[in-house]
Amino acid sequence: ANTTQPSATSQVQAQNEDSAIVAWLIVVNKNEVAAAKEALKHHLNPSVKAYATMMLKEHSKNLQDTLTLSEKDDIQPIESED
């Protein structure tokens, strides 16, 4: 057997792991964006408002970066069986 090439099974497992990670990142970022938007609906002190604004900006960017990377590398998000 050729030990330098990963087996088809290990390649599928790695692809499934990548897909599960991408799905998890999408969920986390969407939840953080939603939480930040909800926080900004309320009267907040300036430091909390600044934090919510930062969370909205950063997690929106992270979500877009994750989607772009998954499209570029042809990784389809899947739900984890865990």
Side-chain angles (χ1 to χ4, degrees):
N2 184 349
T3 58
T4 60
Q5 295 293 324
S7 70
T9 301
S10 65
Q11 288 176 335
V12 168
Q13 288 172 335
Q15 188 174 30
N16 286 343
E17 288 174 8
D18 289 348
S19 295
I21 291 168
V22 167
W24 181 81
L25 288 170
I26 290 169
V27 168
V28 167
N29 284 303
K30 283 183 176 181
N31 286 340
E32 294 296 327
V33 167
K37 285 180 178 179
E38 184 63 28
L40 289 169
K41 290 180 185 178
H42 303 281
H43 297 284
L44 306 170
N45 71 48
S47 62
V48 174
K49 184 175 181 179
Y51 183 75
T53 301
M54 181 273 304
M55 292 289 289
L56 178 60
K57 178 183 173 189
E58 292 298 320
H59 284 282
S60 293
K61 181 183 181 313
N62 290 347
L63 177 58
Q64 188 56 52
D65 290 349
T66 299
L67 294 171
T68 299
L69 181 63
S70 69
E71 289 175 15
K72 177 184 168 206
D73 290 346
D74 196 27
I75 300 171
Q76 299 300 315
I78 61 170
E79 290 187 28
S80 173
E81 296 176 11
D82 296 338

